């Protein structure tokens, strides 16, 4: 059974039967059989299905959003936004997928030589709990548009979200096998990865989990895309718009109660403006309301699980013990549920736990740099390389972007994922790309065709 604890009150929400090995085999086989037909459909037919699913999501926004609020504690106003963003992703690939995958000529000694993009087969998405709808569609929308079928293995703590996604495709009258939900216990995931019908893997989660998945996929010679953890730097230089930087960095840090891979986690501020920036950030974080995620006025809901809150508390305690100055929060909240207050730690150094490890919660840490060069050195001194932001003059920020060791850089703005742009990391933040024209290329056979007779 997959048992879900409501993070708002700590009580059992519901239990869902997990698939046994026979059930898993049956659903993978259904995806394989469905692939035989789906791969022959036109881009127009695939786009129409994705558009129908997007329409259903928009029409059922409130119901779908509430599933996230109940199962993993996302504030309802954020959950509604996630449903809309997932629908946008489906619409984006419905509109642009054919163009991304167009066949094109390449000159050679052939009478005609060209490149075409063919589907691989059933592909498996192993997905986390923190953005159940967005991350599912970030995986499946491009994969489906390319002609693959999709197996969705969601985190065991969001089974109702996973089933709702599969049901959207049933409501949209998708051909059988196009999308299959795999509600598996964690020990059974390896068998699915190694199943001969599964052709590729997409994994979003921790760096530790990604290492295990990568090893399994590599041993089977299966391609994989890994979007893993992050300790994203936000560099604020002396010429930055401090008000705007404090607003957006603060917002980035508390989205989804700080449980986001691409949240600003190490805020590195140039010395001349350090004290002023800390004041501005504290002023923006202090009024935020922590509470029941079902309430419209709640800014920050609970941490998704009790063990995750305990880990966050450990990181904060050890960082304070190492010399950080705690300006807000810093202790788990009493009462039912897994709540943790908005926390602001100043005078942090890059060797403290809140910087060396990934913090998954509403904890902002601020470091001081003497100049831009030292700020970059601090930012790059991390095993992670997912995303980062730079706050300075635009031309200077663009010049510095090439020196920031991340897969995504934002100059004077909020780090976010966008269906139009590729997203992914380097170092222990993973490899491969999702979204944009690059993401859809991860799960296709880029086939070269040479047609004779030979010329010249």
């Amino acid at each position: 059974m997959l048992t879900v604890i409501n993070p708002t009150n700590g009580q059992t929400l519901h239990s869902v039967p997990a698939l046994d090995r026979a059930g898993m085999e049956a659903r993978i086989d259904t995806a394989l059989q469905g692939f035989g037909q789906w791969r022959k459909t036109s881009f127009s037919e695939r786009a129409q299905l994705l558009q129908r699913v997007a329409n259903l999501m928009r029409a059922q926004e409130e119901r779908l959003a509430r599933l996230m609020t109940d199962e993993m504690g996302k504030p309802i106003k954020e959950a509604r936004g996630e449903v809309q963003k997932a629908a946008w992703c489906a619409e984006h690939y419905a509109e642009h997928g054919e163009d991304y995958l167009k066949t094109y000529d390449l000159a050679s000694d052939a009478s005609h030589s060209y490149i075409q993009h063919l589907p691989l087969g059933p592909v498996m998405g192993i997905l986390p709990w923190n953005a159940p709808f967005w991350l599912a569609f970030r995986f499946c929308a491009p994969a489906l548009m390319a002609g693959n079928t999709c197996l969705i293995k969601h985190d065991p703590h969001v089974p109702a979200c996973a089933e709702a996604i599969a049901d959207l495709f049933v409501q949209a009258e998708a051909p059988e096998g196009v999308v299959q939900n795999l509600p598996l216990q964690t020990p059974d995931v390896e068998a699915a990865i190694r199943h001969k019908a599964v052709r590729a893997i997409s994994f979003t989660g921790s760096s530790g989990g990604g290492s295990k998945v990568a090893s399994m996929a590599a041993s089977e010679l299966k391609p994989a895309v890994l979007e893993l953890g992050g300790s994203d730097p936000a560099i604020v230089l002396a010429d930055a718009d401090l008000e705007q930087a404090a607003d957006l960095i603060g917002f980035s840090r508390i989205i989804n109660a700080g449980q986001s891979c691409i949240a600003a986690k190490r805020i590195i501020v140039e010395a001349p403006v350090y004290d002023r920036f800390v004041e501005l950030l504290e002023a923006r974080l202090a009024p935020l309301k922590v509470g029941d995620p079902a309430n419209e006025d709640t800014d920050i809901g609970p941490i998704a699980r009790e063990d995750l809150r305990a880990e966050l508390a450990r990181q904060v305690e050890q960082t304070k013990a190492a010399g950080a100055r705690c300006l807000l929060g810093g202790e788990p909240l009493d009462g039912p549920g897994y709540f943790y207050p908005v926390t602001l730690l100043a005078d942090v150094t890059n060797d403290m736990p809140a910087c060396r490890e990934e913090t998954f919660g509403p904890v902002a840490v601020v470091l001081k740099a003497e100049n831009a060069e030292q700020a970059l050195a601090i930012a790059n001194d991390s095993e992670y390389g997912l995303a980062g932001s730079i706050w300075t003059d635009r031309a200077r920020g663009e010049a510095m972007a090439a020196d920031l060791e991340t897969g995504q850089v934002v100059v004077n703005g909020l780090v976010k994922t966008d269906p139009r742009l590729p997203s992914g990391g380097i170092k222990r933040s993973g490899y491969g790309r999702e979204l944009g024209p690059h993401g859809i290329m991860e799960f296709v056979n880029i086939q070269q065709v040479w047609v004779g007779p030979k010329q010249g």
Side-chain angles (χ1 to χ4, degrees):
M1 298 294 287
L2 306 179
T3 299
V4 180
I5 304 299
N6 186 332
T8 301
N9 56 30
Q11 299 177 1
T12 299
L13 182 64
H14 49 236
S15 294
V16 176
L19 283 181
D20 59 16
R21 187 62 62 88
M24 180 193 77
E25 295 271 356
R27 292 196 183 182
I28 294 175
D29 184 64
T30 298
L32 180 61
Q33 297 302 314
F35 173 66
Q37 297 301 315
W38 184 245
R39 70 190 306 272
K40 298 177 183 178
T41 56
S42 66
F43 284 115
S44 176
E45 290 172 293
R46 298 170 196 171
Q48 288 171 24
L49 173 62
L50 287 177
Q51 187 61 62
R52 291 198 299 272
V53 170
N55 293 343
L56 287 166
M57 277 194 283
R58 294 195 186 280
Q60 299 175 33
E61 174 193 290
E62 196 66 24
R63 179 182 72 86
L64 300 175
R66 185 60 194 236
L67 294 175
M68 286 184 274
T69 298
D70 290 345
E71 287 195 321
M72 50 73 59
K74 190 183 294 286
I76 188 65
K77 57 189 178 185
E78 289 187 23
R80 294 187 190 111
E82 180 172 328
V83 174
Q84 294 294 329
K85 189 173 182 180
W88 176 32
C89 188
E91 292 164 345
H92 175 80
Y93 280 102
E95 181 178 356
H96 298 285
E98 182 175 5
D99 184 60
Y100 289 158
L101 296 175
K102 63 186 176 185
T103 298
Y104 59 91
D105 292 346
L106 281 179
S108 73
D109 60 355
S111 295
H112 184 206
S113 49
Y114 58 95
I115 303 298
Q116 59 185 354
H117 304 96
L118 306 176
L120 297 177
V123 296
M124 181 179 175
I126 304 172
L127 307 171
W129 48 265
N130 59 328
F133 280 81
W134 166 242
L135 295 178
F137 278 86
R138 189 175 74 175
F139 155 67
C140 75
L144 291 171
M145 198 63 196
N148 302 295
T149 53
C150 289
L151 299 155
I152 295 179
K153 188 277 161 193
H154 249 307
D155 185 277
H157 296 88
V158 288
C161 293
E163 187 57 36
I165 291 166
D167 183 60
L168 286 167
F169 285 89
V170 174
Q171 294 179 54
E173 299 181 339
E176 186 176 13
V178 166
V179 171
Q180 294 284 289
N181 178 28
L182 295 182
L184 298 175
Q185 300 275 14
T186 300
D188 295 326
V189 175
E190 181 172 358
I193 292 172
R194 297 188 184 279
H195 194 288
K196 63 181 181 180
V198 175
R199 304 293 171 81
I201 308 296
S202 177
F203 176 84
T204 302
S206 70
S207 298
S211 295
K212 295 176 183 177
V213 169
S215 177
M216 295 172 198
S219 71
E220 300 290 338
L221 300 179
K222 296 180 180 182
V225 171
L226 306 177
E227 202 268 29
L228 308 179
S231 187
D232 289 6
I235 297 173
V236 182
L237 299 183
D239 60 350
D241 181 334
L242 296 184
E243 296 272 353
Q244 183 187 46
D247 281 342
L248 291 181
I249 290 171
F251 179 67
S252 172
R253 183 58 272 192
I254 58 87
I255 291 174
N256 199 23
Q259 299 169 115
S260 169
C261 294
I262 58 170
K265 297 191 175 111
R266 293 179 298 142
I267 307 164
I268 306 164
V269 184
E270 197 171 10
V273 295
Y274 178 85
D275 291 336
R276 176 58 179 157
F277 180 84
V278 171
E279 291 175 0
L280 289 169
L281 186 60
E282 182 178 6
R284 280 149 181 78
L285 295 178
L288 297 175
K289 181 178 179 180
V290 178
D292 187 339
N295 293 341
E296 298 289 344
D297 62 347
T298 292
D299 298 303
I300 299 164
I303 303 300
R305 301 198 310 265
E306 185 174 18
D307 62 307
L308 296 174
R309 184 177 70 162
E311 174 67 2
L312 184 67
R314 176 195 65 79
Q315 292 169 322
V316 170
E317 283 301 317
Q318 291 183 354
T319 301
K320 290 192 296 183
R325 182 163 50 103
C326 186
L327 302 178
L328 292 172
E331 299 284 346
L333 297 175
D334 293 331
Y338 311 137
F339 293 95
Y340 197 90
V342 179
T343 295
L344 176 58
L345 302 177
D347 303 343
V348 178
T349 58
N350 212 34
D351 57 350
M352 295 180 183
C355 291
R356 304 318 295 174
E357 305 170 19
E358 180 179 27
T359 53
F360 233 52
V363 176
V365 303
V366 189
L367 303 83
K368 183 185 293 186
E370 291 305 314
N371 50 47
E373 291 72 21
Q374 187 184 37
L376 271 174
I378 293 170
N380 289 335
D381 181 18
S382 173
E383 65 179 9
Y384 298 107
L386 190 55
S389 62
I390 303 171
W391 297 82
T392 184
D393 171 76
R394 174 178 170 177
R396 186 186 191 192
E398 288 188 65
M400 290 176 64
D403 293 320
L404 194 59
E405 296 173 358
T406 61
Q408 182 177 339
V409 180
V410 171
V411 178
N412 297 330
L414 179 70
V415 174
K416 59 185 178 182
T417 48
D418 184 321
R420 299 165 294 190
L421 299 171
S423 177
I426 60 172
K427 300 194 283 188
R428 287 191 62 81
S429 291
Y431 50 75
R433 292 294 179 266
E434 295 180 298
L435 302 175
H438 301 77
I440 200 170
M441 290 293 181
E442 294 286 357
F443 296 139
V444 296
N445 171 17
I446 303 174
Q447 186 185 69
Q448 174 224 121
V449 180
W450 188 100
V451 181
K454 179 179 177 181
Q455 300 294 303

